[in-house]
Amino acid sequence: MTHLCAAVIQTRSGRDIARNVEETSALIRAAARDGARYIQTPEMTHLLEKSRKDLFSKIATEEADAGVAAFARLAAELGIHLHIGSLAIRTGTDSVANRGLLFGPDGQLKARYDKIHMFDVDLPNGESWRESATYAPGEEAVTVDLGEVRLGMGVCYDIRFPALFRALAVAGAGIVTAPAAFTRQTGKAHWHVLQRARAIETGSFVVSAAQGGKHEDGRETYGHSLIVAPWGEILAEIDHDAPGYALAELDLSQVAAARGRIPALANARSFTLREAGALTEGAR
């Protein structure tokens, strides 16, 4: 029976990249000491910055980014799969990707994923977000093998789009992910149910590290990093918004067991959609 010890790292990232990398690295080391072999950090691990001008003044290309280099070294030092939930990565003079990175135990980059769904919303409390004004959306779903299990990569708002997670599961992912910086308002309303729903629908483990608390740029995030089993049970949760980490032992045989009990992936059928017209009197 194959198992994987997984950990979620919860942070409260600010405006100083070096400090964020240092604080996150300390939590990663602690989780690794406790036995985690796959460790995930939240969306925007090394910088949360609302100001577009200030964001562009601080970020770099993937090749030049100090956080990318530091986390690659750390993965090799600890001999772990290190999933950096996302970083703001410059992709051109005026373009940025919200990019997740997966480093192998040798420190080599195994996968990158650019967040597909942009958080462009107006919330009831007056918050307004236009992620597409700064970030270029990705166009490709991504899976990557972690030895005995395949992992599917998502980021934050992606969790609200079941088709993406179904596609990852159909492609063989037994773990799907949504590292996040969920707003406090939407997190309180929907975070837990969305994570559990994606797990149940796909028969997959869902692992989602989160930002939490009041950040230097003024935003508030929900925290409550989660690891959910394929049957929908919460295996581990950081049940607050402060920095920390949580671990769970994933029994990978539960993926096949859940999909065997409720074979929703196998039973899905294609269909057409039509708009029904008015029924005739005789057919009523």
Side-chain angles (χ1 to χ4, degrees):
M1 188 177 294
T2 304
H3 289 73
L4 175 67
C5 185
V8 283
I9 304 295
Q10 188 158 289
T11 61
R12 189 176 293 162
S13 298
R15 287 172 154 161
D16 185 322
I17 289 178
R19 186 180 74 233
N20 294 331
V21 170
E22 180 181 0
E23 292 175 352
T24 303
S25 296
L27 291 169
I28 292 168
R29 290 179 190 279
R33 284 195 300 270
D34 279 352
R37 310 319 301 157
Y38 163 78
I39 300 178
Q40 183 193 115
T41 69
E43 182 181 28
M44 291 294 139
T45 292
H46 76 355
L47 180 66
L48 267 178
E49 177 56 78
K50 271 186 186 178
S51 164
R52 193 174 192 274
K53 178 182 177 181
D54 290 341
L55 179 77
F56 271 87
S57 73
K58 295 174 182 179
I59 62 173
T61 63
E62 188 177 302
E63 296 74 18
D65 189 274
V68 172
F71 290 130
R73 289 193 300 269
L74 187 58
E77 175 194 332
L78 299 174
I80 60 170
H81 279 101
L82 179 56
H83 181 177
I84 302 303
S86 83
L87 305 174
I89 296 293
R90 186 186 287 269
T91 55
T93 304
D94 198 39
S95 60
V96 187
N98 187 339
R99 178 169 295 172
L101 302 168
L102 191 287
F103 299 99
D106 58 0
Q108 295 300 305
L109 183 64
K110 295 187 67 169
R112 63 171 61 84
Y113 165 74
D114 291 351
K115 183 178 180 180
I116 292 174
H117 298 100
M118 298 289 97
F119 190 56
D120 291 356
V121 302
D122 299 303
L123 299 176
N125 67 349
E127 285 184 76
S128 183
W129 298 93
R130 290 294 179 272
E131 197 169 45
S132 63
T134 300
Y135 296 93
E139 297 181 349
E140 295 181 335
V142 175
T143 65
V144 57
D145 287 330
L146 306 184
E148 300 295 329
V149 66
R150 183 169 295 176
L151 178 139
M153 300 174 75
V155 175
C156 197
Y157 190 46
D158 284 334
I159 197 71
R160 293 184 181 272
F161 298 86
L164 172 60
F165 288 82
R166 183 180 187 280
L168 295 171
V170 169
I175 300 173
V176 293
T177 64
F182 245 62
T183 69
R184 181 177 297 281
Q185 180 183 185
T186 58
K188 185 176 180 180
H190 299 150
W191 175 252
H192 291 81
V193 70
L194 286 168
Q195 304 292 324
R196 296 185 67 203
R198 298 298 86 83
I200 293 165
E201 290 165 353
T202 64
S204 305
F205 289 98
V206 177
V207 182
S208 297
Q211 296 278 356
K214 182 72 176 285
H215 299 266
E216 289 178 334
D217 71 350
R219 81 184 76 195
E220 292 187 73
T221 55
Y222 184 62
H224 292 265
S225 300
L226 287 175
I227 300 175
V228 183
W231 201 244
E233 315 97 303
I234 294 175
L235 300 179
E237 177 179 3
I238 302 175
D239 62 351
H240 49 71
D241 65 9
Y245 66 93
L247 291 85
E249 192 78 17
L250 310 188
D251 176 355
L252 301 178
S253 70
Q254 291 182 12
V255 175
R259 293 175 182 178
R261 286 186 224 167
I262 306 291
L265 298 178
N267 288 349
R269 300 183 62 204
S270 60
F271 54 87
T272 59
L273 177 66
R274 69 178 177 86
E275 182 179 351
L279 295 175
T280 64
E281 187 66 33
R284 289 179 183 171

